[in-house]
Amino acid sequence: MITIKDIAKVAGVSHTTVSRALNGSPLIKPDTRERIAKIASDMNYMPNYSAKNLVTRKSNTIGLFFSSIEQGTSSSFLADALKGIRKQLGNMYMLTVSGIDDSSSMDYIDPRRYDGILVMSQSEWDNRFIYHVQSAGIPLVVLNRQLEDPSICNVASDDRVGGKAAADYAFECGHRLVAMIEGKAGFKSSSERKLGYMDSLMAHGLTPNPTYFVQGDYSIESGYTAMNQLLDLQERPTAVFCGNDDMAIGAMNACFDRGVQIPNEISLIGFDDMTFASYTNPPLTTIHKSVSEIAEEGTRLLLERLQYPQTLPVQRLLGSTLVQRRSVSKLAEHR
Amino acid sequence: MITIKDIAKVAGVSHTTVSRALNGSPLIKPDTRERIAKIASDMNYMPNYSAKNLVTRKSNTIGLFFSSIEQGTSSSFLADALKGIRKQLGNMYMLTVSGIDDSSSMDYIDPRRYDGILVMSQSEWDNRFIYHVQSAGIPLVVLNRQLEDPSICNVASDDRVGGKAAADYAFECGHRLVAMIEGKAGFKSSSERKLGYMDSLMAHGLTPNPTYFVQGDYSIESGYTAMNQLLDLQERPTAVFCGNDDMAIGAMNACFDRGVQIPNEISLIGFDDMTFASYTNPPLTTIHKSVSEIAEEGTRLLLERLQYPQTLPVQRLLGSTLVQRRSVSKLAEHR
DNA sequence: TTTTATGATGAAAACGTTAACATTTGAAGT
DNA sequence: ACTTCAAATGTTAACGTTTTCATCATAAAA
């Protein structure tokens, strides 16, 4: 492996000059810079990053950490996030991916290994990790889950507004009996979406019906069983707001299996607008949330903080909007 | 940041001793080892990996490279792969993720940055990259795409066998007019699956009908338009083998839109068995292929090669088997 | 006792960079 | 021609490890 000293020898200069030339120092005469660059490329030089990092105390690495890489994370989620991040990152930084629950991940958090960290968070369980990172002094952006703490840089989608939009739409379509299949207990997104639903309920002067709330866990299966529960009710809801698209798909299946027509007999609204939402039957009306946008914006923010460490942490909520498809019926008798 | 020298000072030994103690050298007396370990943990010592890597000429990093992170890669794919890999990797190695097309990714391939590389490959376009890695002398395993070259370690699913299984099943169910929606042109998997179909055709003594082959690109949309093309035919096929599940879903949608019943009027077979396959309507009969298993096995192999560099490269094909669901009808009149 | 081996430790060099400080060069100002 | 200053380059010391080679005990063998 060839080093800057080898280049120095060939170029007849000191290795320091080579280092400077290759790093674009203004101290080097343009023509020697070019001469050295030429030699370096001819010799197929590649810098040794370990050595570089050792002395600069940088790592050229951004770490992406997931709530739980094993479970709970829907797959399009991870992929979208990755795409958004890589897009922003270019090839200035390496990107590592780990689950927060990777055995004792804490022990491996070290400012010398990560220039910055992105946390794709889903539940409050991640807080321990998040604060560990913060107290280690590593620049940090938390993605996807809304945080309270103003000292932490954060970008997420506005789940509450989205939840409200979903419920609003149901009510505007004339539905009065609208149930909700809730997301995973303990996940902030679950409670926010529910809160949004509640906001809408209140705004429309309606009172919540306890039997119309059933707990899910964001999985397709949970949507299926939850929907069956709803269908067993004496007074069936005419619309169901599902905490995410996966559960909506499970719910759809439950309906198909029991021969109840969507949207004629029952309407369905999802949340997330994943790729498949347009391809269910009928296409799913849902709340659009762009994970890749969140990831992209978060990465942009992180990069900014790396460049200007003084930048103040910001909390950003990306809008979530309703996309109308065909899983919701308009009720005629709505006054 | 505290270093081994700090520990040495406290322990009253040389930093060499500390290094040895912390790395489990047999030269160190058990009790001094423990004493040092205690001090290190008390002082909250974390090794500086840059320094370590500099002298050991290792990187503690495995690189995962994707065919095209931007497009073509279905999302469950990426997520599954990641899960399989992380599972095997534990926390011995960092894992970085990049797209092969990341601007000039070649320039960043360096044995000092990657102890080993996994390539999640989909098309022959990746070969350039693969051979670059190999000639750089970095231990390498190519995943997911079957390779010809016996000098390269490779694990993939047996697409051809899978394709044959799919077609066999259609024929056994009495179908004679079975079309195929092909995967992305240039992808090895596309041609292998088609070859498998051909094998079956031949085994059943049938002759291929050129109009029954329509090109897709593995996307949902392409499945949709391809299916429409098929439905426009004078003599409609009674069954369609789709190159992957995404296209099968697109095809399903085309059918729904035109009111053609699945599986009564037309049968559908997919490939991959992604999560959603069980939740389409009707549930999709498809060929099961486990990306996470492939990833896991590939990682195992890579790790083995890192430990025993002499290990010979192996080519492994993981079986792909049919999973029967409800998108294929049994034709009575099949004599 | 004196040697000899061996088990445990230490000193110093090396890994490939960057950075602080020193030196040279050359041109401009007197 | 002599100083002065700035621009360009060189010297040397870090950075935090591991590793080679030497040293020093200590216990066994003579």
Side-chain angles (χ1 to χ4, degrees):
Chain A
M1 284 284 95
I2 102 130
T3 74
I4 50 172
K5 294 196 180 174
D6 299 324
I7 299 178
K9 211 161 290 173
V10 176
V13 296
S14 77
H15 70 279
T16 307
T17 303
V18 175
S19 170
R20 285 200 266 251
L22 262 25
N23 290 299
S25 153
L27 294 178
I28 302 295
K29 260 199 299 203
D31 62 334
T32 57
R33 178 201 315 295
E34 273 163 38
R35 194 165 56 86
I36 290 176
K38 171 89 168 60
I39 295 177
S41 113
D42 284 355
M43 295 180 79
N44 237 302
Y45 167 74
M46 299 200 62
N48 182 322
Y49 282 89
S50 294
K52 249 186 146 102
N53 295 342
L54 176 57
V55 50
T56 59
R57 291 135 185 286
K58 290 259 144 53
S59 67
N60 291 296
T61 300
I62 301 289
L64 170 62
F65 288 82
F66 268 86
S67 255
S68 165
I69 209 170
E70 287 297 337
Q71 47 111 39
T73 304
S74 120
S75 52
S76 64
F77 208 73
L78 213 158
D80 285 348
L82 229 33
K83 283 177 196 166
I85 295 170
R86 280 256 59 130
K87 184 171 170 192
Q88 273 306 310
L89 236 40
N91 42 25
M92 286 286 77
Y93 288 96
M94 303 195 98
L95 175 68
T96 72
V97 180
S98 330
I100 291 185
D101 43 18
D102 281 2
S103 23
S104 64
S105 41
M106 298 285 194
D107 300 349
Y108 293 85
I109 300 306
D110 179 350
R112 291 168 306 197
R113 301 193 88 178
Y114 298 105
D115 286 348
I117 283 185
L118 292 166
V119 179
M120 252 294 164
S121 177
Q122 303 209 84
S123 93
E124 314 216 335
W125 285 98
D126 301 338
N127 284 359
R128 195 166 148 255
F129 179 80
I130 291 171
Y131 283 104
H132 180 79
V133 170
Q134 202 189 24
S135 70
I138 308 177
L140 163 76
V141 176
V142 176
L143 304 178
N144 196 61
R145 182 172 66 100
Q146 195 179 345
L147 247 51
E148 346 45 50
D149 190 334
S151 72
I152 296 181
C153 203
N154 180 216
V155 17
S157 80
D158 200 327
D159 285 325
R160 186 160 182 172
V161 164
K164 179 161 188 310
D168 279 351
Y169 181 66
F171 294 135
E172 279 157 23
C173 286
H175 294 274
R176 284 299 169 269
L177 310 177
V178 359
M180 173 166 187
I181 301 181
E182 299 179 41
K184 191 160 183 153
F187 278 26
K188 179 92 171 182
S189 57
S190 307
S191 51
E192 284 294 305
R193 290 169 195 188
K194 182 175 183 178
L195 249 29
Y197 169 97
M198 293 301 209
D199 289 346
S200 173
L201 210 66
M202 200 172 305
H204 286 79
L206 301 167
T207 47
N209 174 347
T211 63
Y212 279 180
F213 292 89
V214 14
Q215 187 74 52
D217 65 5
Y218 281 148
S219 72
I220 301 182
E221 294 75 22
S222 77
Y224 186 89
T225 63
M227 187 48 137
N228 271 318
Q229 217 169 307
L230 253 17
L231 292 175
D232 286 340
L233 254 35
Q234 295 286 16
E235 184 178 46
R236 278 189 186 170
T238 63
V240 177
F241 169 37
C242 304
N244 73 350
D245 287 352
D246 275 354
M247 293 196 300
I249 288 174
M252 258 187 198
N253 270 271
C255 293
F256 277 113
D257 285 359
R258 297 171 63 143
V260 354
Q261 298 275 332
I262 302 172
N264 299 344
E265 300 179 55
I266 203 160
S267 296
L268 235 46
I269 305 181
F271 202 118
D272 282 352
D273 192 21
M274 23 169 280
T275 319
F276 277 110
S278 337
Y279 294 95
T280 54
N281 285 100
L284 185 67
T285 292
T286 187
I287 303 296
H288 177 79
K289 148 183 166 179
S290 171
V291 174
S292 69
E293 268 172 42
I294 291 175
E296 222 173 302
E297 172 69 2
T299 310
R300 219 184 48 63
L301 249 36
L302 183 62
L303 255 27
E304 192 175 308
R305 304 198 74 197
L306 292 185
Q307 201 173 358
Y308 312 106
Q310 302 308 336
T311 319
L312 290 174
V314 300
Q315 276 71 37
R316 225 193 273 310
L317 285 184
L318 267 45
S320 40
T321 59
L322 183 95
V323 9
Q324 265 177 257
R325 286 198 267 256
R326 299 211 306 275
S327 62
V328 175
S329 64
K330 306 216 192 259
L331 259 41
E333 72 265 36
H334 86 101
R335 104 145 332 254
Chain B
M1 282 286 95
I2 103 129
T3 74
I4 50 171
K5 294 195 181 174
D6 299 324
I7 299 178
K9 210 160 290 170
V10 176
V13 297
S14 77
H15 70 279
T16 308
T17 303
V18 174
S19 170
R20 283 200 266 250
L22 262 26
N23 290 299
S25 154
L27 293 179
I28 301 295
K29 260 198 299 202
D31 62 334
T32 57
R33 179 202 312 297
E34 273 164 37
R35 194 164 58 85
I36 291 177
K38 172 85 169 60
I39 296 178
S41 113
D42 283 354
M43 296 181 77
N44 236 302
Y45 168 73
M46 297 202 61
N48 182 322
Y49 282 90
S50 295
K52 245 182 147 104
N53 295 341
L54 176 56
V55 50
T56 59
R57 292 136 184 286
K58 290 259 144 50
S59 66
N60 292 298
T61 300
I62 301 289
L64 170 63
F65 288 81
F66 267 86
S67 256
S68 166
I69 209 170
E70 286 297 340
Q71 46 111 41
T73 304
S74 121
S75 51
S76 65
F77 209 73
L78 213 158
D80 285 348
L82 229 35
K83 283 177 198 168
I85 294 169
R86 280 255 61 130
K87 184 171 169 190
Q88 273 305 311
L89 235 42
N91 42 24
M92 285 287 76
Y93 287 96
M94 304 196 95
L95 175 68
T96 73
V97 181
S98 330
I100 290 185
D101 45 17
D102 281 3
S103 25
S104 66
S105 41
M106 297 287 193
D107 300 349
Y108 293 86
I109 300 305
D110 180 348
R112 290 166 307 197
R113 302 193 87 180
Y114 298 105
D115 287 347
I117 283 185
L118 292 166
V119 179
M120 253 291 163
S121 177
Q122 304 209 83
S123 95
E124 313 216 335
W125 286 98
D126 301 337
N127 284 358
R128 195 166 148 256
F129 179 80
I130 291 171
Y131 283 105
H132 180 79
V133 171
Q134 202 188 25
S135 71
I138 308 178
L140 164 75
V141 175
V142 177
L143 304 178
N144 196 58
R145 182 172 65 97
Q146 195 180 344
L147 247 52
E148 346 47 49
D149 190 334
S151 73
I152 296 181
C153 202
N154 182 214
V155 16
S157 79
D158 200 328
D159 284 327
R160 186 158 182 171
V161 164
K164 180 160 188 309
D168 279 351
Y169 181 66
F171 294 135
E172 279 156 23
C173 287
H175 294 275
R176 284 299 169 271
L177 310 176
V178 1
M180 172 163 188
I181 302 181
E182 300 178 41
K184 193 159 182 154
F187 278 25
K188 179 93 172 182
S189 57
S190 306
S191 51
E192 283 294 306
R193 289 167 195 190
K194 181 174 182 177
L195 251 28
Y197 170 97
M198 292 303 208
D199 290 345
S200 173
L201 211 66
M202 199 171 307
H204 288 79
L206 301 167
T207 47
N209 175 348
T211 61
Y212 279 0
F213 292 88
V214 13
Q215 187 74 51
D217 65 4
Y218 281 148
S219 72
I220 300 182
E221 295 75 21
S222 77
Y224 186 90
T225 63
M227 187 49 137
N228 271 318
Q229 217 169 305
L230 252 17
L231 291 175
D232 286 339
L233 255 34
Q234 296 284 14
E235 185 178 44
R236 278 189 186 169
T238 63
V240 177
F241 170 37
C242 304
N244 74 350
D245 288 350
D246 275 354
M247 294 197 299
I249 287 172
M252 256 185 198
N253 270 270
C255 293
F256 278 112
D257 284 359
R258 298 170 65 144
V260 354
Q261 298 276 331
I262 300 172
N264 299 344
E265 299 180 56
I266 203 161
S267 295
L268 235 46
I269 306 182
F271 202 117
D272 282 351
D273 192 21
M274 25 170 278
T275 319
F276 277 110
S278 340
Y279 295 93
T280 55
N281 287 98
L284 185 66
T285 293
T286 187
I287 303 295
H288 177 79
K289 149 182 165 183
S290 170
V291 174
S292 68
E293 269 173 40
I294 291 176
E296 221 172 305
E297 172 69 2
T299 310
R300 221 184 45 66
L301 250 37
L302 183 62
L303 257 26
E304 191 175 309
R305 303 198 75 197
L306 292 185
Q307 200 173 359
Y308 312 105
Q310 302 308 338
T311 319
L312 290 174
V314 299
Q315 275 72 35
R316 225 194 274 310
L317 286 183
L318 267 44
S320 39
T321 59
L322 183 95
V323 9
Q324 264 177 256
R325 285 197 266 256
R326 299 212 306 273
S327 62
V328 177
S329 64
K330 307 217 190 257
L331 260 41
E333 71 266 36
H334 82 102
R335 103 142 329 258

